Amino acid sequence: MSALLSPISLRDLALANRIMVAPMCQYSAENGEANDWHFTHINTLALSGAALFCIEATHVEAVGRITPGCLGLWNDATEAALKPILVSVRKHSRIAVAMQLAHAGRKGSSHKPWDGGQQIPLPEGGWQTEGPSALPHKDGELPPLALDASGLARIRDAFVSAAKRAERLGIDALELHAAHGYLLHQFLSPISNRRTDQYGGSLQNRLRYPLEVFDAIRAVFPKTKPIGVKVSATDWVEGGWDLEQTIEFARELKARGVDWIDASSGGVSPLQKIPLSPGYQVPFAQGIKQATGVTTIAVGLITEAKQAEEIVASGKADMVALARGMLYDPRWGWHAAAELGGHVDAPPQYWRSQPSTQKELFGKTSFGAR
Ligand SMILES: Cc1cc2nc3c(=O)[nH]c(=O)nc-3n(C[C@H](O)[C@H](O)[C@H](O)COP(=O)(O)O)c2cc1C
């Protein structure tokens, strides 16, 4: 019996296996609104065999977008644009759908990656960003404005409003984006947070705003539905945010009812030095799980079925998330199930693709013709 393919429940959300499609920005929205690209992308990966699909970083206000093409959920139009996509996913797949709620903070106003990814100057259509402190992400960039009390309340309320819209759309779970150098990570890290008020300085103060946002969305999202948090477990910079502080953050989140920690890393400083290798972030998920007992998701250069199986079977993490591996092989879950000898959900239109050596890959299926 494969550990990767065994079920897990997060609150009332029952997942058939431990595979998640990681959130992946598509930089293809217009005015924050999803379109035919998102329809194709999400519906394709809804048939991947993963039990959980996480919609890309979905920004809670327009100035909180990373790029002009980033997805949003801040008004009726952005909400309406996602509706037909979710209707289609529900019609053809049993995958659970999570949504990552995000705010880019000082990393907003960027060009799309394929246009170079650098800051867009104001005269070229960029916008004034905001962050914990008036410190630019990179030398020479226009710095963000430091958020005051009303700005903090406005953004917290925007997270709340997006969480309510997500519930109206029938989203099964939320993931709060506190990783990769975006706004909530900017509050956590001493590199980007130099505030002298109750939101800066000590670890307890740096945790305060992300925890307030977590509490605020937890209060409005149904109790039956889980909320996880994606973290960067280290900045990969001496004197920055690290695993020890992440564990304290996870403890505080656990006390507030967090349902998972998705353990990534980096993104807050261009000075980061990341030692990339297969599964290089798994020790972070393991460390958080061991120290706190919180359900963890390992992510980052997990590409092989046996590698994913080992991570879950050995208890290093409870689930795995794949991003690039899923784009490369959008039936990754099927292939993993075939390799590990398990079952996976597939739509009847595709049942005939079942390999002759794997007659029960899609469970007990039957079809005929006259
Ligand atoms: C195209 C692309 C877009 C991404 N967008 C997001 C995002 O919206 N939110 C997020 O937390 N991570 C994002 N990531 C990071 C992935 O979720 C994941 O953490 C990272 O790619 C490592 O996993 P992998 O080695 O399986 O790709 C993105 C990655 C890719 C490749």
Side-chain angles (χ1 to χ4, degrees):
M1 175 66 189
S2 153
L4 183 69
L5 301 171
S6 66
I8 184 171
S9 286
L10 304 163
R11 298 203 179 212
D12 285 5
L13 182 64
L15 302 176
N17 62 47
R18 311 298 185 96
I19 308 166
M20 165 170 157
V21 181
M24 281 181 275
C25 291
Q26 297 299 296
Y27 314 103
S28 300
E30 287 156 55
N31 302 316
E33 295 164 30
N35 53 40
D36 56 342
W37 175 260
H38 303 85
F39 187 96
T40 303
H41 167 70
I42 296 174
N43 276 286
T44 299
L45 290 175
L47 304 181
S48 59
L52 181 61
F53 175 90
C54 189
I55 296 178
E56 67 189 85
T58 305
H59 297 92
V60 300
E61 56 174 19
V63 296
R65 285 174 297 172
I66 310 166
T67 75
C70 281
L71 191 66
L73 186 54
W74 60 70
N75 58 15
D76 291 348
T78 50
E79 183 179 331
L82 282 163
K83 223 176 190 164
I85 299 176
L86 286 156
V87 168
S88 175
V89 168
R90 300 310 191 190
K91 192 169 164 194
H92 300 295
S93 166
R94 287 199 286 189
I95 200 164
V97 181
M99 172 182 277
Q100 189 182 52
L101 294 184
H103 193 295
R106 69 176 185 174
K107 283 178 86 174
S109 190
S110 301
H111 282 292
K112 297 175 185 182
W114 51 81
D115 292 331
Q118 299 307 302
Q119 188 179 56
I120 309 174
L122 298 182
E124 291 168 34
W127 59 90
Q128 176 63 58
T129 63
E130 295 170 312
S133 304
L135 292 168
H137 178 72
K138 275 167 79 171
D139 285 347
E141 289 182 345
L142 180 71
L145 297 177
L147 283 157
D148 61 13
S150 73
L152 291 173
R154 185 198 81 229
I155 294 174
R156 185 201 57 216
D157 292 350
F159 272 100
V160 167
S161 165
K164 289 181 182 164
R165 289 183 186 277
E167 163 58 11
R168 272 213 295 272
L169 284 165
I171 294 292
D172 299 304
L174 295 177
E175 182 175 87
L176 187 60
H177 200 346
H180 302 165
Y182 298 116
L183 183 71
L184 299 182
H185 182 186
Q186 289 160 29
F187 272 89
L188 297 172
S189 174
I191 292 173
S192 41
N193 182 347
R194 302 277 172 78
R195 296 176 76 96
T196 53
D197 62 2
Q198 73 270 36
Y199 294 104
S202 67
L203 175 60
Q204 201 190 9
N205 280 356
R206 284 180 279 120
L207 299 183
R208 195 179 307 279
Y209 188 63
L211 291 174
E212 282 180 8
V213 172
F214 179 84
D215 285 342
I217 61 169
R218 189 59 278 180
V220 297
F221 202 58
K223 292 202 172 16
T224 50
K225 295 186 178 185
I227 305 185
V229 176
K230 189 160 180 176
V231 297
S232 279
T234 176
D235 289 340
W236 299 112
V237 177
E238 194 73 35
W241 177 254
D242 56 17
L243 179 60
E244 208 178 311
Q245 297 172 77
T246 306
I247 287 170
E248 282 311 309
F249 185 36
R251 281 206 180 100
E252 293 289 342
L253 287 167
K254 185 183 181 186
R256 290 163 165 80
V258 79
D259 294 292
W260 74 79
I261 301 284
D262 188 351
S264 190
S265 70
V268 99
S269 166
L271 302 176
Q272 65 187 13
K273 295 214 166 29
I274 307 183
L276 290 174
S277 65
Y280 70 106
Q281 294 175 148
V282 174
F284 299 134
Q286 185 179 11
I288 295 163
K289 186 172 154 67
Q290 269 170 5
T292 66
V294 173
T295 298
T296 57
I297 303 180
V299 67
L301 290 178
I302 301 167
T303 53
E304 308 305 314
K306 290 200 175 77
Q307 178 196 13
E309 173 67 18
E310 191 277 331
I311 292 165
V312 178
S314 63
K316 292 185 180 124
D318 299 282
M319 293 181 64
V320 295
L322 280 81
R324 291 164 292 184
M326 283 285 178
L327 296 183
Y328 192 68
D329 175 6
R331 303 273 184 267
W332 192 90
W334 297 16
H335 301 145
E339 192 176 332
L340 301 171
H343 307 296
V344 71
D345 238 21
Q349 293 92 331
Y350 289 177
W351 281 353
R352 291 182 70 182
S353 69
Q354 200 164 238
S356 58
T357 51
Q358 301 268 340
K359 283 294 181 206
E360 295 213 344
L361 181 60
F362 303 144
K364 295 249 178 276
T365 57
S366 69
F367 43 85
R370 60 187 288 241

